[in-house]
Amino acid sequence: MSVTNLETEETQEHKTARPKRRTKPIIVFFAAGAVVCTAIAFALVSRHQGSATSQVLQSASPAEMTVSVVHPEKVPSTLVLDLPGQLQAYTDAPIFAQTSGYLKAWYFDIGAKVKANDILAEIDTPEVDQELAQARAQFQVAQSALQLSQVTYQRNQDLFKRRVIAPQDLDTSADTYYENQATVAADEANIDRLNALEAFKLLRAPFDGIVTARDIDIGAYVAAGTGTQLFRVARTSPLRIYVNVPQESAQLVNIGAEGDLTVPEYPGRTFPAHVTNAAGAVDPISRSLLTELQIPNETGELLPGAYAQVSLRLSGDRGLVTIPSNAWLFQRAGATVGVVHPDGKVEIRKITIHLNLGDKLEISQGLSDSDQVIVNPSDGLANGMKVSVIGPDQSPNAAPSITKR
């Protein structure tokens, strides 16, 4: 082999070896890049999987809402009702004439205080006087006839026993005697009637009281049975007042229940009153119970017919509780509230509203004073929801806190 060929071979080997030395670093570079890219891709996939896992955990553990609660308050056992009424005399009697004639004199005017049987006026009754005189004369005639018939009957009885007269004569005398007895009794009754009319000539006060009306004057003709009032007498101590207690409080009305009465003419003053009677039935028109109270009025300051306001105090457990109005949930099922159980779960409970007081609600059914009622409930409140409770004496955060598990 020649030198030239050897050089040629060395030159070719040298040329072949040089490219091999340049390719190796390039391969290493691309291998490192592939490793970096794989690591980045793995990190992205891991981050995506972690985010998905976090979302799954978050959806599996729902958010827990913080709510503020209050306890229902029992309605006080003593209920005070302010009711209007009108004072009335304990007894108020119109005085009518029971006999006909002319008013001769009157002795008491309006406002006068009278005692029972005091003479209010006197009526002149000439016709009754004449009838009484005639009746007395007839009575005397009847008595004379009765005496004669009695003597005749006794004589005929003796004659009949001696068989001097017939039985028919005895029966006739007996009939006359009995008839005259009846006539005397009738005449005597007529005299009693006329004597009663004579007594009615004097108009008397039926009880202690005050003359509140005088509708007759001297010389006026008085006709019996016409229904024309001559006087009116009222008993003003004690006084009565009638009030209408609403149906929802009617069961609390008891005899002896006390109250305070006020009238416009005595501002700042109260007068004691107490329940004496109740109707025992609710008026179907007004849906109320008519209740009577009495006021002593020994001083006579209160006047019959005056308007008055009664603050009636009624005692008794009505089974009512009150809650704030902002606890009310408006739903299709009706009035409801959210109640938190001791385990923190929510119950949407139906209630019956007895009375809406504006800022408060009186509840008759559905709640007790031991329940925890949610105030300012969220629209998303649902049965079985888990919540955290803040009591009424604590201040909740501005926004409800949500805790993720």
Side-chain angles (χ1 to χ4, degrees):
M1 180 181 292
S2 62
V3 177
T4 305
N5 291 336
L6 290 172
E7 292 177 355
T8 303
E9 291 177 357
E10 289 176 1
T11 302
Q12 290 177 351
E13 290 175 358
H14 179 69
K15 291 179 180 179
T16 305
R18 290 176 63 184
K20 290 181 180 180
R21 287 196 296 269
R22 291 178 179 177
T23 304
K24 186 174 181 180
I26 294 173
I27 294 173
V28 172
F29 175 78
F30 281 106
V35 171
V36 172
C37 291
T38 302
I40 293 173
F42 181 79
L44 292 174
V45 171
S46 300
R47 182 177 180 183
H48 177 71
Q49 290 177 348
S51 177
T53 303
S54 177
Q55 291 179 359
V56 170
L57 291 174
Q58 183 177 354
S59 62
S61 177
E64 192 171 278
M65 184 183 298
T66 301
V67 296
S68 179
V69 299
V70 295
H71 289 287
E73 298 179 359
K74 280 189 174 182
V75 175
S77 58
T78 300
L79 174 67
V80 179
L81 295 178
D82 292 328
L83 303 170
Q86 179 175 315
L87 292 172
Q88 298 183 18
Y90 186 81
T91 307
D92 190 3
I95 309 301
F96 300 97
Q98 295 296 318
T99 186
S100 299
Y102 296 90
L103 191 70
K104 183 178 180 180
W106 55 265
Y107 304 104
F108 293 96
D109 207 346
I110 59 173
K113 294 183 179 180
V114 295
K115 298 292 184 179
N117 291 324
D118 280 351
I119 298 175
L120 302 176
E122 184 178 353
I123 302 174
D124 187 14
T125 58
E127 293 182 1
V128 176
D129 295 342
Q130 293 299 325
E131 290 180 6
L132 179 59
Q134 182 180 358
R136 286 173 178 171
Q138 290 178 352
F139 177 71
Q140 291 178 354
V141 172
Q143 280 185 322
S144 298
L146 176 61
Q147 292 174 359
L148 178 59
S149 62
Q150 182 179 8
V151 172
T152 302
Y153 177 55
Q154 290 175 351
R155 183 185 301 114
N156 287 342
Q157 282 181 327
D158 183 60
L159 294 174
F160 177 74
K161 289 179 181 179
R162 291 185 293 171
R163 299 180 181 275
V164 175
I165 61 174
Q168 184 177 357
D169 296 332
L170 178 63
D171 295 339
T172 301
S173 61
D175 181 67
T176 302
Y177 172 64
Y178 295 139
E179 183 179 352
N180 289 336
Q181 277 186 329
T183 301
V184 169
D187 289 343
E188 189 175 7
N190 189 36
I191 290 175
D192 292 339
R193 180 184 67 84
L194 293 173
N195 282 331
L197 291 178
E198 284 286 311
F200 286 133
K201 292 168 60 175
L202 302 177
L203 299 178
R204 298 180 181 273
F207 46 78
D208 295 353
I210 295 176
V211 177
T212 59
R214 179 181 62 82
D215 301 324
I216 194 68
D217 211 339
I218 296 175
Y221 179 72
V222 178
T226 59
T228 301
Q229 173 182 286
L230 305 183
F231 290 86
R232 195 174 193 93
V233 179
R235 181 183 175 188
T236 59
S237 178
L239 289 176
R240 305 175 191 258
I241 185 170
Y242 292 91
V243 295
N244 292 311
V245 177
Q247 178 180 342
E248 57 267 19
S249 304
Q251 74 278 6
L252 302 178
V253 176
N254 295 313
I255 304 301
E258 297 182 350
D260 294 324
L261 182 141
T262 58
V263 289
E265 56 266 33
Y266 296 109
R269 289 186 59 184
T270 59
F271 299 86
H274 64 279
V275 176
T276 56
N277 294 290
V282 173
D283 187 345
I285 298 177
S286 62
R287 301 299 178 189
S288 60
L289 177 70
L290 184 63
T291 304
E292 177 190 343
L293 294 90
Q294 286 187 12
I295 307 96
N297 196 35
E298 295 176 354
T299 60
E301 294 177 289
L302 300 176
L303 302 178
Y307 169 81
Q309 190 82 10
V310 177
S311 293
L312 183 60
R313 295 185 294 273
L314 302 177
S315 300
D317 186 8
R318 298 182 293 162
L320 300 177
V321 295
T322 60
I323 59 173
S325 296
N326 57 0
W328 188 356
L329 274 171
F330 297 90
Q331 295 188 351
R332 291 183 179 180
T336 56
V337 294
V339 177
V340 181
H341 289 282
D343 58 0
K345 290 185 179 180
V346 175
E347 176 192 355
I348 304 300
R349 186 179 298 177
K350 190 172 181 180
I351 60 173
T352 301
I353 299 176
H354 176 260
L355 190 62
N356 190 339
L357 303 175
D359 59 337
K360 291 184 178 181
L361 301 174
E362 282 191 359
I363 308 302
S364 59
Q365 292 181 1
L367 291 176
S368 66
D369 57 348
S370 61
D371 290 326
Q372 297 185 107
V373 180
I374 300 174
V375 294
N376 295 318
S378 171
D379 293 337
L381 203 65
N383 268 317
M385 178 182 290
K386 193 81 171 179
V387 295
S388 296
V389 173
I390 294 180
D393 54 347
Q394 297 174 327
S395 300
N397 298 329
S401 60
I402 298 178
T403 304
K404 297 181 181 180
R405 295 182 178 177

